[in-house]
Amino acid sequence: WQSCLCQCVDRTEVIRSSSSPVFSKIFLVDYYFEEVQRLRFELHDISSGNNGLRDADFLGAMECTLGQIVSQRKLTKALLKQGNTTGKSSIMVTAEELSGNDDYVELSFSARKLDDKDFFSKSDPFLEIFRINDDGTESLVHRTETVMNNLSPVWKSFKVSLNTLCSGDHDRELKCTVWDWDSNGKHDFIGEFQTTFKEMMRAEQEGKQIQWECINPKYQMKKKNYRNSGTVILNHCKTIKMYSFLDYIMGGCQIQFTVAIDFTASNGDPRNSCSLHYIHPYQPNEYLKALVAVGEICQDYDSDKMFPAFGFGALIPPDFKVSHDFAVNFDEENPECAGIQGVVEAYQNCLPKIQLYGPTNIAPIIQKVASSASEEMHTKEAMEYFILLILTDGVITDMADTREAIVHASHLPMSVIIVGVGNADFTDMQILDGDDGILRSPKGEPVLRDIVQFVPFKDFKHASPAALAKSVLAEVPNQVVDYYNAKGIKPKCISDYESSRTFSP
């Protein structure tokens, strides 16, 4: 069979005389959560003595997305014959993350009796660690803080990935240099030494303290009785497992996708073609474009494909009171819709039944989803991560409450995506994004982590839906990883998953 993405990418080996072949060929594919990566697998029966496809018999094909394979780890689907008819044959595709040195190491150093480089005070030492590359060049890995006026400094511990430290090669040489800091930037060289991560880790495992003589080569050559310019001690060396986004997804974590739609009067009468909610018979409005673009990605990571959809800012039946978190399908007990198409249909069906009103309050819907995320947090397992997509046409009127709700949600397994529809002033939304500074609650409490991503739809009006989805979802994998790693929560099925993982050499 062959894997096709617009064009033929690669082929497996040919297995002769088998109706249930197991192919050994592995395909390496770059994975992007924020993109729909469509794949097509074709199976061909090649006649004996001929490996070409020109004379081969087409047995069937299967189409899917890479996200579907990743979220299920093993995807089995029927092979479709010519005319998309289903036969008895099926194909199973298995995904494994190709990973190796995504672990981190925590290091802590101190020094003793360093050379004094200052006349009126003691040296102000700092330590630099360099990785020696294959071509002999040096790459700075870490620079410690400066400890002022101290010849026996204790530097703060720090974390660095093994890829950054030694490119995953435990025997790779590391060059460590100690300097005396000067305010004019012309720091004085104290000394240097070489080591490897393997040497540091062995000492830690054996419970031994390791130290290195800090050598100044010039002094070593010129001074007969020169011993060293001090010693540097390794106080602590510990590897820390940092799980990736794929670890959590392949470990069984589900993405719970929720939609919230702005039904305030500023959108305009849906019956008017100028309205942002106008349902055009041949072209989706901006709300639908944004909903489908983002939802099409997220649906691959939700096994039941049931998505809660809410509205805010409308007068709803039967008593036509304003609501800021009503179910778009009007079923408050079960606001879930079947698939993204179900959300689209519920949205279109509700428009004639409601009256657009106001104000534009989004804190209630953030709090509603946060309530579900809070229940998940108490399980202390990586089972569900919540993504709330808010589609709104303008300035929100409950900024203080919204800031409070976001700060609270930043402690939960939850991300908020806001798409600004129309041409309104979205300055307030940029504030919520927090990219230009730390968002704080009215009481001054900062967000624990950045969970909000805002984009105005007008920036993507002439771009493909995929470009919009890529922009708003690009940060989600890191947000998921940051939450679970900070909580020390491992992927739910990590023991089963790790036993089958493929690691790079």
Side-chain angles (χ1 to χ4, degrees):
W1 57 274
Q2 52 186 342
S3 169
C4 299
L5 182 60
C6 296
Q7 60 181 4
C8 182
V9 174
D10 207 343
R11 293 172 57 182
T12 68
E13 74 279 16
V14 175
I15 295 182
R16 301 291 181 187
S17 304
S18 175
S19 60
S20 299
V22 177
F23 300 101
S24 63
K25 172 76 174 182
I26 295 174
F27 298 100
L28 302 182
V29 182
D30 292 328
Y31 165 75
Y32 303 98
F33 167 77
E34 65 274 18
E35 295 180 14
V36 178
Q37 297 172 270
R38 303 189 187 280
L39 300 173
R40 176 180 172 88
F41 299 87
E42 291 186 0
L43 193 73
H44 296 265
D45 180 23
I46 293 178
S47 58
S48 179
N50 180 11
N51 286 334
L53 293 181
R54 182 174 299 176
D55 300 321
D57 295 324
F58 176 74
L59 298 180
M62 183 271 282
E63 294 184 2
C64 64
T65 66
L66 183 56
Q68 289 173 324
I69 301 174
V70 165
S71 63
Q72 298 183 42
R73 289 181 56 197
K74 290 183 180 180
L75 177 67
T76 302
K77 292 184 71 174
L79 286 170
L80 299 182
K81 298 182 177 180
Q82 298 287 3
N84 287 334
T85 58
T86 304
K88 295 180 179 179
S89 302
S90 64
I91 183 172
M92 182 175 71
V93 183
T94 302
E96 294 181 352
E97 183 181 9
L98 186 65
S99 177
N101 304 293
D102 50 0
D103 292 346
Y104 277 63
V105 60
E106 184 176 63
L107 297 169
S108 173
F109 293 91
S110 61
R112 273 201 305 259
K113 298 181 180 180
L114 295 175
D115 284 353
D116 192 350
K117 296 291 184 177
D118 296 336
F119 289 109
F120 303 108
S121 64
K122 297 177 182 177
S123 293
D124 308 314
F126 65 90
L127 171 70
E128 289 183 330
I129 301 176
F130 292 87
R131 178 185 71 240
I132 307 301
N133 301 314
D134 292 337
D135 59 0
T137 59
E138 300 175 358
S139 296
L140 179 63
V141 170
H142 182 77
R143 179 184 292 118
T144 69
E145 78 284 3
T146 300
V147 178
M148 305 299 289
N149 195 31
N150 195 325
L151 299 182
S152 296
V154 178
W155 292 290
K156 293 179 181 178
S157 64
F158 61 92
K159 296 176 184 176
V160 62
S161 73
L162 282 179
N163 271 330
T164 301
L165 179 66
C166 58
S167 300
D169 178 3
H170 294 192
D171 291 311
R172 183 177 297 274
E173 185 177 341
L174 303 174
K175 177 182 175 182
C176 304
T177 309
V178 181
W179 299 85
D180 169 36
W181 177 86
D182 281 332
S183 58
N184 62 6
K186 296 180 179 179
H187 311 308
D188 298 315
F189 177 72
I190 295 178
E192 64 186 18
F193 63 93
Q194 284 75 38
T195 185
T196 64
F197 174 67
K198 184 177 182 179
E199 181 183 29
M200 292 189 285
M201 202 63 216
R202 183 189 299 125
E204 183 75 14
Q205 291 169 347
E206 294 175 356
K208 298 178 180 178
Q209 186 181 70
I210 185 173
Q211 61 183 40
W212 301 270
E213 290 188 329
C214 197
I215 301 298
N216 185 321
K218 288 184 179 180
Y219 291 175
Q220 195 175 40
M221 291 178 63
K222 293 180 179 180
K223 297 182 179 182
K224 290 184 178 179
N225 297 324
Y226 175 79
R227 293 186 60 187
N228 58 56
S229 295
T231 57
V232 175
I233 303 116
L234 175 67
N235 300 321
H236 178 69
C237 177
K238 179 183 178 183
T239 56
I240 304 170
K241 177 64 183 178
M242 300 292 284
Y243 295 105
S244 70
F245 177 69
L246 282 178
D247 285 331
Y248 288 104
I249 293 300
M250 290 181 164
C253 183
Q254 297 279 298
I255 297 295
Q256 297 297 328
F257 179 59
T258 302
V259 182
I261 302 172
D262 183 338
F263 288 109
T264 55
S266 55
N267 284 280
D269 188 338
R271 294 169 295 184
N272 189 316
S273 61
C274 295
S275 170
L276 292 170
H277 281 304
Y278 179 69
I279 303 299
H280 194 283
Y282 304 112
Q283 184 177 346
N285 61 34
E286 291 186 6
Y287 279 97
L288 288 174
K289 287 179 181 177
L291 164 62
V292 172
V294 178
E296 189 177 36
I297 303 287
C298 294
Q299 68 178 352
D300 285 344
Y301 303 89
D302 188 330
S303 59
D304 66 5
K305 304 291 186 289
M306 299 297 291
F307 307 113
F310 298 97
F312 58 92
L315 301 175
I316 64 171
D319 51 6
F320 284 92
K321 291 182 178 179
V322 67
S323 174
H324 298 292
D325 57 357
F326 67 92
V328 174
N329 64 2
F330 299 111
D331 186 348
E332 299 298 332
E333 296 298 321
N334 183 19
E336 294 185 330
C337 305
I340 297 303
Q341 186 56 37
V343 177
V344 170
E345 292 171 0
Y347 161 71
Q348 293 174 329
N349 291 337
C350 90
L351 279 171
K353 301 174 184 177
I354 62 174
Q355 181 180 336
L356 274 58
Y357 198 64
T360 309
N361 293 350
I362 65 172
I365 191 62
I366 295 176
Q367 292 163 352
K368 182 184 279 285
V369 176
S371 177
S372 298
S374 181
E375 294 178 10
E376 161 65 13
M377 181 185 70
H378 293 309
T379 67
K380 296 183 179 179
E381 289 186 324
M383 297 175 64
E384 295 179 330
Y385 190 92
F386 293 77
I387 295 179
L388 170 61
L389 171 64
I390 299 176
L391 306 172
T392 182
D393 82 318
V395 180
I396 63 174
T397 52
D398 63 341
M399 177 55 74
D401 289 342
T402 297
R403 285 163 52 200
E404 185 76 42
I406 290 173
V407 169
H408 171 68
S410 70
H411 293 260
L412 305 173
M414 175 177 171
S415 295
V416 180
I417 296 167
I418 305 174
V419 177
V421 176
N423 297 309
D425 179 3
F426 291 111
T427 304
D428 283 351
M429 299 304 186
Q430 300 285 5
I431 294 172
L432 295 177
D433 195 311
D435 287 344
D436 298 325
I438 298 176
L439 178 71
R440 296 179 182 273
S441 73
K443 299 176 183 176
E445 181 186 355
V447 289
L448 182 65
R449 57 195 182 92
D450 183 13
I451 65 166
V452 177
Q453 178 71 2
F454 167 79
V455 296
F457 186 87
K458 60 187 176 184
D459 290 356
F460 298 88
K461 209 163 190 176
H462 304 294
S464 67
L468 171 67
K470 186 173 183 178
S471 176
V472 298
L473 292 172
E475 294 182 13
V476 168
N478 285 337
Q479 290 171 349
V480 172
V481 169
D482 288 348
Y483 173 78
Y484 287 120
N485 276 325
K487 295 285 186 181
I489 298 175
K490 296 181 179 180
K492 187 166 177 275
C493 305
I494 196 65
S495 58
D496 295 336
Y497 170 45
E498 285 189 326
S499 65
S500 64
R501 277 180 78 183
T502 300
F503 291 92
S504 59

